[in-house]
Amino acid sequence: MAKIELLEKYSKLIVEVGANVQKDQLVVINSSTETRELARLLVNAAYNAGAKKVIVSWSDEFVSRSGYEGMSIETLKEVPQYSIDRLKHFVDQGACVISITSPIPGLNAGVDPNKMQTSSIASRKNFKFYSDHMMGNRTQWCVVAAPNKIWAKKIFPNLNDNDAFEALWDAILGASRVTETNDPIEEWEKHNVVMLAHNKVLNDYQFDTLHFKNSLGTDLVVKIVDNHIWAGGGEFSTKGIYFNPNIPTEENFTMPDKFNVNGKVVATKPLNYQGNLIEDFWLEFENGKVVSYDAKKQKETLKNLLDVDEGSKYIGEVALISHDSPISNLGILFLNTLFDENASCHLALGRAYPMNVAGGNDMTPEELAEAGSNQSMIHTDFMFGSEDMSIIGTQKNGKEVTIFKNGNFVI
Ligand code: ZN
Ligand code: ZN
Protein backbone atom coordinates (compact mmCIF):
# COMPACT_ATOMS: atom_id res chain seq x y z
CA MET A 1 0.00 0.00 0.00
CA ALA A 2 1.37 3.38 -0.91
CA LYS A 3 2.05 5.75 1.96
CA ILE A 4 -0.61 8.17 0.74
CA GLU A 5 -3.30 5.47 1.01
CA LEU A 6 -2.22 4.74 4.56
CA LEU A 7 -2.46 8.45 5.40
CA GLU A 8 -5.92 8.57 3.82
CA LYS A 9 -6.97 5.72 6.11
CA TYR A 10 -5.59 7.67 9.06
CA SER A 11 -7.44 10.83 7.97
CA LYS A 12 -10.73 8.98 7.59
CA LEU A 13 -10.26 7.50 11.07
CA ILE A 14 -9.59 10.95 12.56
CA VAL A 15 -12.60 12.53 10.86
CA GLU A 16 -15.11 9.71 11.39
CA VAL A 17 -14.06 8.14 14.70
CA GLY A 18 -11.98 10.94 16.25
CA ALA A 19 -14.04 14.10 15.66
CA ASN A 20 -17.04 12.23 14.24
CA VAL A 21 -17.76 15.12 11.87
CA GLN A 22 -21.52 15.55 11.35
CA LYS A 23 -23.28 16.44 8.12
CA ASP A 24 -23.23 20.23 7.55
CA GLN A 25 -20.96 20.83 10.52
CA LEU A 26 -18.23 23.47 10.50
CA VAL A 27 -14.82 21.83 10.97
CA VAL A 28 -11.73 23.63 12.30
CA ILE A 29 -8.32 22.03 11.82
CA ASN A 30 -5.36 23.35 13.83
CA SER A 31 -2.15 22.55 11.99
CA SER A 32 1.39 23.80 11.80
CA THR A 33 2.99 24.36 8.43
CA GLU A 34 5.12 21.28 9.18
CA THR A 35 2.07 19.02 9.00
CA ARG A 36 0.38 20.46 5.92
CA GLU A 37 0.31 17.07 4.16
CA LEU A 38 -1.96 15.58 6.82
CA ALA A 39 -3.96 18.82 7.11
CA ARG A 40 -4.83 18.71 3.41
CA LEU A 41 -5.90 15.08 3.61
CA LEU A 42 -8.05 15.88 6.66
CA VAL A 43 -9.77 18.69 4.77
CA ASN A 44 -10.73 16.23 2.02
CA ALA A 45 -11.82 13.59 4.49
CA ALA A 46 -13.99 16.14 6.32
CA TYR A 47 -15.74 17.21 3.12
CA ASN A 48 -16.23 13.54 2.23
CA ALA A 49 -17.92 13.12 5.60
CA GLY A 50 -20.33 15.96 4.76
CA ALA A 51 -18.68 18.96 6.44
CA LYS A 52 -20.31 22.27 5.55
CA LYS A 53 -17.02 24.14 5.58
CA VAL A 54 -13.49 23.33 6.73
CA ILE A 55 -11.23 26.06 8.11
CA VAL A 56 -7.54 25.37 8.64
CA SER A 57 -5.97 27.47 11.35
CA TRP A 58 -2.25 27.50 10.45
CA SER A 59 0.62 28.07 12.84
CA ASP A 60 4.38 27.96 12.52
CA GLU A 61 6.62 27.44 15.52
CA PHE A 62 9.57 29.24 13.92
CA VAL A 63 7.40 32.30 13.34
CA SER A 64 6.23 32.05 16.97
CA ARG A 65 9.82 31.91 18.17
CA SER A 66 10.72 34.99 16.14
CA GLY A 67 7.70 36.70 17.69
CA TYR A 68 8.91 35.97 21.22
CA GLU A 69 12.26 37.48 20.33
CA GLY A 70 11.08 40.41 18.24
CA MET A 71 8.06 41.65 20.22
CA SER A 72 8.15 43.64 23.41
CA ILE A 73 6.56 42.15 26.50
CA GLU A 74 3.77 44.77 26.25
CA THR A 75 2.94 43.66 22.71
CA LEU A 76 3.02 39.99 23.72
CA LYS A 77 0.36 40.81 26.33
CA GLU A 78 -2.05 42.13 23.69
CA VAL A 79 -4.75 39.75 22.51
CA PRO A 80 -6.57 41.43 19.62
CA GLN A 81 -10.35 41.35 19.62
CA TYR A 82 -10.49 39.68 16.19
CA SER A 83 -8.72 36.57 17.48
CA ILE A 84 -11.26 36.31 20.31
CA ASP A 85 -14.17 36.91 17.91
CA ARG A 86 -12.85 34.19 15.62
CA LEU A 87 -13.02 31.55 18.37
CA LYS A 88 -16.44 32.89 19.45
CA HIS A 89 -17.61 32.33 15.89
CA PHE A 90 -16.41 28.70 16.01
CA VAL A 91 -18.26 28.19 19.29
CA ASP A 92 -21.47 29.86 18.02
CA GLN A 93 -21.39 27.80 14.83
CA GLY A 94 -20.99 24.54 16.76
CA ALA A 95 -17.71 23.74 15.01
CA CYS A 96 -15.84 20.57 15.86
CA VAL A 97 -12.08 20.87 16.18
CA ILE A 98 -9.22 18.62 15.04
CA SER A 99 -5.75 19.55 16.31
CA ILE A 100 -2.59 18.10 14.84
CA THR A 101 0.25 18.11 17.34
CA SER A 102 3.83 18.09 16.04
CA PRO A 103 6.22 19.51 18.59
CA ILE A 104 9.68 20.82 17.84
CA PRO A 105 11.45 19.94 21.09
CA GLY A 106 13.97 22.49 22.22
CA LEU A 107 12.97 25.10 19.64
CA ASN A 108 12.40 27.77 22.24
CA ALA A 109 15.68 27.17 24.09
CA GLY A 110 17.18 30.53 24.93
CA VAL A 111 13.94 32.51 24.58
CA ASP A 112 13.19 34.69 27.62
CA PRO A 113 10.85 32.44 29.65
CA ASN A 114 9.16 35.52 31.09
CA LYS A 115 8.05 36.58 27.59
CA MET A 116 6.59 33.12 26.82
CA GLN A 117 4.87 33.04 30.20
CA THR A 118 3.36 36.53 29.76
CA SER A 119 2.10 35.74 26.29
CA SER A 120 0.67 32.38 27.26
CA ILE A 121 -1.12 33.78 30.34
CA ALA A 122 -2.64 36.59 28.25
CA SER A 123 -4.02 34.20 25.65
CA ARG A 124 -5.17 31.60 28.17
CA LYS A 125 -7.13 34.29 30.05
CA ASN A 126 -8.79 35.61 26.92
CA PHE A 127 -9.47 32.19 25.45
CA LYS A 128 -10.72 30.58 28.66
CA PHE A 129 -14.30 30.50 27.32
CA TYR A 130 -12.96 28.42 24.43
CA SER A 131 -11.04 25.87 26.53
CA ASP A 132 -14.05 25.59 28.88
CA HIS A 133 -16.17 24.82 25.83
CA MET A 134 -13.77 22.09 24.66
CA MET A 135 -12.96 20.53 28.02
CA GLY A 136 -16.66 20.53 28.87
CA ASN A 137 -17.25 18.43 25.71
CA ARG A 138 -19.74 20.97 24.36
CA THR A 139 -18.59 19.92 20.92
CA GLN A 140 -16.50 17.11 19.46
CA TRP A 141 -12.73 17.59 19.46
CA CYS A 142 -9.80 15.37 18.60
CA VAL A 143 -6.05 15.62 19.06
CA VAL A 144 -3.81 13.61 16.72
CA ALA A 145 -0.16 13.73 15.69
CA ALA A 146 2.01 13.99 12.60
CA PRO A 147 5.80 14.03 12.42
CA ASN A 148 8.19 16.81 11.53
CA LYS A 149 11.85 16.26 10.69
CA ILE A 150 13.33 17.91 13.77
CA TRP A 151 11.08 16.00 16.14
CA ALA A 152 11.78 12.75 14.24
CA LYS A 153 15.54 13.26 14.39
CA LYS A 154 15.36 13.88 18.14
CA ILE A 155 13.62 10.53 18.62
CA PHE A 156 15.69 8.56 16.12
CA PRO A 157 19.10 10.31 16.25
CA ASN A 158 20.86 7.44 14.49
CA LEU A 159 18.75 7.58 11.34
CA ASN A 160 19.10 10.11 8.53
CA ASP A 161 16.45 12.86 8.23
CA ASN A 162 14.16 11.00 5.84
CA ASP A 163 14.41 7.63 7.56
CA ALA A 164 13.77 9.24 10.94
CA PHE A 165 10.72 11.02 9.53
CA GLU A 166 9.35 7.77 8.08
CA ALA A 167 10.13 5.85 11.28
CA LEU A 168 8.16 8.41 13.29
CA TRP A 169 5.23 8.13 10.86
CA ASP A 170 5.31 4.34 11.30
CA ALA A 171 5.32 4.71 15.09
CA ILE A 172 2.43 7.21 15.05
CA LEU A 173 0.33 5.13 12.68
CA GLY A 174 1.10 1.91 14.57
CA ALA A 175 0.18 3.48 17.91
CA SER A 176 -3.03 4.81 16.30
CA ARG A 177 -3.93 1.29 15.12
CA VAL A 178 -3.66 2.10 11.42
CA THR A 179 -1.98 -0.69 9.47
CA GLU A 180 -1.81 -1.66 5.80
CA THR A 181 -4.11 -4.61 6.25
CA ASN A 182 -6.65 -3.57 8.88
CA ASP A 183 -9.79 -1.48 8.95
CA PRO A 184 -8.81 1.08 11.61
CA ILE A 185 -12.42 2.14 12.15
CA GLU A 186 -13.40 -1.42 13.09
CA GLU A 187 -10.25 -1.69 15.18
CA TRP A 188 -11.25 1.41 17.17
CA GLU A 189 -14.76 0.11 17.76
CA LYS A 190 -13.19 -2.95 19.41
CA HIS A 191 -10.67 -0.82 21.31
CA ASN A 192 -13.46 1.37 22.72
CA VAL A 193 -15.30 -1.71 24.00
CA VAL A 194 -12.18 -2.75 25.94
CA MET A 195 -11.64 0.77 27.31
CA LEU A 196 -15.27 1.02 28.47
CA ALA A 197 -15.03 -2.36 30.21
CA HIS A 198 -12.02 -1.11 32.16
CA ASN A 199 -13.84 2.08 33.12
CA LYS A 200 -16.74 0.01 34.39
CA VAL A 201 -14.58 -2.15 36.66
CA LEU A 202 -12.99 0.95 38.20
CA ASN A 203 -16.32 2.78 38.49
CA ASP A 204 -17.89 -0.19 40.27
CA TYR A 205 -15.21 -0.07 42.99
CA GLN A 206 -15.74 3.70 43.63
CA PHE A 207 -12.36 3.96 45.34
CA ASP A 208 -11.87 6.65 47.96
CA THR A 209 -8.07 6.87 47.62
CA LEU A 210 -5.29 5.57 45.40
CA HIS A 211 -1.86 4.95 46.91
CA PHE A 212 1.00 5.00 44.37
CA LYS A 213 4.40 3.61 45.31
CA ASN A 214 7.61 2.67 43.50
CA SER A 215 11.36 2.35 44.07
CA LEU A 216 12.13 5.74 42.48
CA GLY A 217 10.64 7.51 45.48
CA THR A 218 7.03 8.00 44.45
CA ASP A 219 4.84 7.62 47.52
CA LEU A 220 1.62 9.48 46.88
CA VAL A 221 -1.93 9.22 48.16
CA VAL A 222 -4.57 10.70 45.86
CA LYS A 223 -8.13 10.97 47.11
CA ILE A 224 -10.63 10.84 44.28
CA VAL A 225 -13.84 12.84 44.38
CA ASP A 226 -17.15 11.30 45.46
CA ASN A 227 -19.29 10.13 42.54
CA HIS A 228 -16.26 10.21 40.27
CA ILE A 229 -16.41 8.72 36.80
CA TRP A 230 -13.53 6.88 35.18
CA ALA A 231 -13.37 7.78 31.52
CA GLY A 232 -11.15 6.78 28.61
CA GLY A 233 -11.79 5.84 25.03
CA GLY A 234 -14.86 7.33 23.38
CA GLU A 235 -16.94 10.06 25.03
CA PHE A 236 -20.23 11.81 24.35
CA SER A 237 -20.43 15.52 23.65
CA THR A 238 -23.16 17.40 25.52
CA LYS A 239 -25.05 17.28 22.19
CA GLY A 240 -24.97 13.48 22.36
CA ILE A 241 -22.38 12.83 19.66
CA TYR A 242 -19.89 10.04 20.34
CA PHE A 243 -16.27 10.97 19.60
CA ASN A 244 -12.69 10.07 20.53
CA PRO A 245 -10.80 13.08 21.89
CA ASN A 246 -7.39 11.47 21.50
CA ILE A 247 -5.93 9.23 18.83
CA PRO A 248 -4.17 7.23 20.14
CA THR A 249 -5.53 6.66 23.65
CA GLU A 250 -4.87 3.95 26.21
CA GLU A 251 -5.67 5.75 29.48
CA ASN A 252 -8.39 5.39 32.09
CA PHE A 253 -8.60 8.65 34.02
CA THR A 254 -10.64 10.37 36.68
CA MET A 255 -10.89 13.42 38.96
CA PRO A 256 -8.66 13.81 42.03
CA ASP A 257 -10.02 15.68 45.04
CA LYS A 258 -8.24 19.04 44.74
CA PHE A 259 -7.24 19.47 48.41
CA ASN A 260 -6.57 15.81 49.21
CA VAL A 261 -3.35 14.82 47.49
CA ASN A 262 -0.35 14.12 49.73
CA GLY A 263 3.16 12.80 49.23
CA LYS A 264 5.88 12.78 46.62
CA VAL A 265 5.74 11.93 42.94
CA VAL A 266 8.84 11.34 40.82
CA ALA A 267 8.43 11.89 37.08
CA THR A 268 9.63 9.13 34.77
CA LYS A 269 9.60 10.99 31.45
CA PRO A 270 10.69 14.49 30.48
CA LEU A 271 7.96 17.07 30.03
CA ASN A 272 7.88 19.39 27.02
CA TYR A 273 6.45 22.74 28.15
CA GLN A 274 6.63 25.85 25.97
CA GLY A 275 9.23 24.17 23.77
CA ASN A 276 11.55 23.36 26.69
CA LEU A 277 12.22 19.91 28.14
CA ILE A 278 11.88 19.63 31.91
CA GLU A 279 13.91 16.57 32.96
CA ASP A 280 14.34 14.43 36.08
CA PHE A 281 11.87 16.26 38.25
CA TRP A 282 9.77 15.55 41.31
CA LEU A 283 6.93 17.29 43.10
CA GLU A 284 5.78 17.09 46.68
CA PHE A 285 2.14 17.72 47.59
CA GLU A 286 0.55 18.79 50.85
CA ASN A 287 -3.23 19.08 51.02
CA GLY A 288 -3.29 19.02 47.25
CA LYS A 289 -0.80 21.80 46.69
CA VAL A 290 2.76 21.49 45.35
CA VAL A 291 4.89 22.63 48.30
CA SER A 292 8.33 21.70 46.96
CA TYR A 293 9.85 20.51 43.70
CA ASP A 294 13.10 20.14 41.84
CA ALA A 295 14.31 19.36 38.32
CA LYS A 296 17.78 18.48 37.01
CA LYS A 297 17.02 20.44 33.82
CA GLN A 298 14.72 23.44 33.19
CA LYS A 299 13.71 24.01 36.79
CA GLU A 300 12.85 27.57 35.74
CA THR A 301 10.36 26.23 33.16
CA LEU A 302 8.82 23.98 35.80
CA LYS A 303 8.52 27.02 38.08
CA ASN A 304 6.74 28.93 35.30
CA LEU A 305 4.33 26.05 34.79
CA LEU A 306 3.50 25.93 38.51
CA ASP A 307 3.16 29.73 38.67
CA VAL A 308 0.61 30.17 35.87
CA ASP A 309 -2.18 30.58 38.43
CA GLU A 310 -3.33 29.18 41.78
CA GLY A 311 -4.81 26.04 40.17
CA SER A 312 -1.62 25.12 38.34
CA LYS A 313 -0.12 24.06 41.69
CA TYR A 314 -2.91 21.46 42.12
CA ILE A 315 -3.82 18.44 40.03
CA GLY A 316 -6.95 17.89 37.94
CA GLU A 317 -6.48 14.40 36.54
CA VAL A 318 -5.16 11.02 37.58
CA ALA A 319 -4.72 8.44 34.83
CA LEU A 320 -3.78 4.77 34.89
CA ILE A 321 -1.97 2.95 32.08
CA SER A 322 -0.30 -0.44 32.38
CA HIS A 323 3.44 -0.43 31.85
CA ASP A 324 2.82 -3.39 29.53
CA SER A 325 0.66 -1.57 26.95
CA PRO A 326 0.93 -0.99 23.18
CA ILE A 327 2.52 2.47 23.16
CA SER A 328 4.71 1.76 26.15
CA ASN A 329 5.93 -1.43 24.47
CA LEU A 330 7.15 0.51 21.44
CA GLY A 331 9.89 1.60 23.84
CA ILE A 332 10.00 5.04 22.24
CA LEU A 333 10.20 8.25 24.24
CA PHE A 334 8.05 10.47 22.02
CA LEU A 335 8.69 13.77 23.84
CA ASN A 336 5.04 14.50 23.14
CA THR A 337 2.29 14.27 25.70
CA LEU A 338 -0.25 12.64 23.36
CA PHE A 339 1.97 9.56 23.15
CA ASP A 340 3.95 9.60 26.36
CA GLU A 341 0.81 10.09 28.49
CA ASN A 342 -0.65 6.98 26.88
CA ALA A 343 2.40 4.94 27.80
CA SER A 344 2.53 5.80 31.48
CA CYS A 345 0.46 6.58 34.56
CA HIS A 346 0.18 10.35 34.77
CA LEU A 347 -1.21 13.30 36.66
CA ALA A 348 -2.22 16.63 35.18
CA LEU A 349 -1.37 19.91 36.80
CA GLY A 350 -4.30 22.28 36.37
CA ARG A 351 -7.89 21.97 35.37
CA ALA A 352 -10.03 18.87 35.78
CA TYR A 353 -12.41 17.48 33.16
CA PRO A 354 -16.00 18.18 34.35
CA MET A 355 -17.23 14.85 32.93
CA ASN A 356 -15.10 12.99 35.50
CA VAL A 357 -17.73 13.65 38.18
CA ALA A 358 -21.39 12.62 37.85
CA GLY A 359 -23.37 15.53 36.33
CA GLY A 360 -20.18 17.60 35.99
CA ASN A 361 -20.83 18.81 32.45
CA ASP A 362 -23.98 20.57 33.71
CA MET A 363 -22.41 22.06 36.86
CA THR A 364 -21.52 25.71 37.38
CA PRO A 365 -17.84 26.46 38.19
CA GLU A 366 -18.89 26.90 41.85
CA GLU A 367 -20.60 23.50 41.94
CA LEU A 368 -17.56 21.89 40.34
CA ALA A 369 -15.27 23.50 42.92
CA GLU A 370 -17.60 22.24 45.65
CA ALA A 371 -17.23 18.71 44.23
CA GLY A 372 -13.43 18.96 44.57
CA SER A 373 -12.66 19.80 40.95
CA ASN A 374 -9.57 21.92 40.25
CA GLN A 375 -9.81 25.08 38.13
CA SER A 376 -6.90 26.54 36.18
CA MET A 377 -5.98 28.07 32.86
CA ILE A 378 -3.72 25.10 32.19
CA HIS A 379 -4.02 21.33 31.98
CA THR A 380 -0.57 19.77 31.64
CA ASP A 381 0.06 16.05 31.98
CA PHE A 382 3.27 14.64 33.39
CA MET A 383 4.25 10.99 33.52
CA PHE A 384 5.29 8.95 36.55
CA GLY A 385 4.46 5.32 35.68
CA SER A 386 7.18 2.71 36.12
CA GLU A 387 7.63 -1.02 35.75
CA ASP A 388 7.55 -1.48 39.52
CA MET A 389 4.57 0.80 40.27
CA SER A 390 2.14 -0.50 42.84
CA ILE A 391 -1.27 1.05 43.35
CA ILE A 392 -3.52 0.18 46.25
CA GLY A 393 -7.08 1.43 46.10
CA THR A 394 -9.02 1.93 49.31
CA GLN A 395 -12.79 1.89 49.27
CA LYS A 396 -14.97 4.02 51.56
CA ASN A 397 -15.46 1.04 53.90
CA GLY A 398 -11.67 0.77 54.35
CA LYS A 399 -11.30 -2.30 52.15
CA GLU A 400 -8.00 -2.32 50.24
CA VAL A 401 -7.71 -3.62 46.67
CA THR A 402 -4.50 -4.02 44.68
CA ILE A 403 -5.06 -2.21 41.37
CA PHE A 404 -1.49 -2.28 39.99
CA LYS A 405 1.26 -4.74 40.73
CA ASN A 406 4.69 -4.47 39.07
CA GLY A 407 3.50 -1.66 36.82
CA ASN A 408 0.37 -3.35 35.48
CA PHE A 409 -3.37 -3.54 36.09
CA VAL A 410 -4.32 -6.63 38.11
CA ILE A 411 -8.04 -5.97 38.41
ZN1 ZN B 1 -4.66 11.88 30.59
ZN1 ZN C 1 -4.59 15.14 30.66
Side-chain angles (χ1 to χ4, degrees), residues 317 341 348 379 381:
E317 177 194 356
E341 74 162 336
H379 174 101
D381 295 308

Side-chain angles (χ1 to χ4, degrees), residues 7-18 42 45 185:
L7 295 188
E8 278 168 356
K9 260 189 176 186
Y10 181 44
S11 305
K12 194 166 159 29
L13 173 74
I14 293 165
V15 164
E16 294 183 12
V17 173
L42 286 173
I185 293 181

Side-chain angles (χ1 to χ4, degrees), residues 169-179 330:
W169 252 138
D170 290 347
I172 290 172
L173 292 170
S176 306
R177 295 164 199 265
V178 179
T179 70
L330 289 173

Side-chain angles (χ1 to χ4, degrees), residues 351-375:
R351 187 182 332 180
Y353 287 100
M355 65 161 173
N356 282 136
V357 62
N361 279 336
D362 301 317
M363 287 183 187
T364 62
E366 293 71 31
E367 288 168 331
L368 280 169
E370 184 68 22
S373 169
N374 188 25
Q375 276 291 322

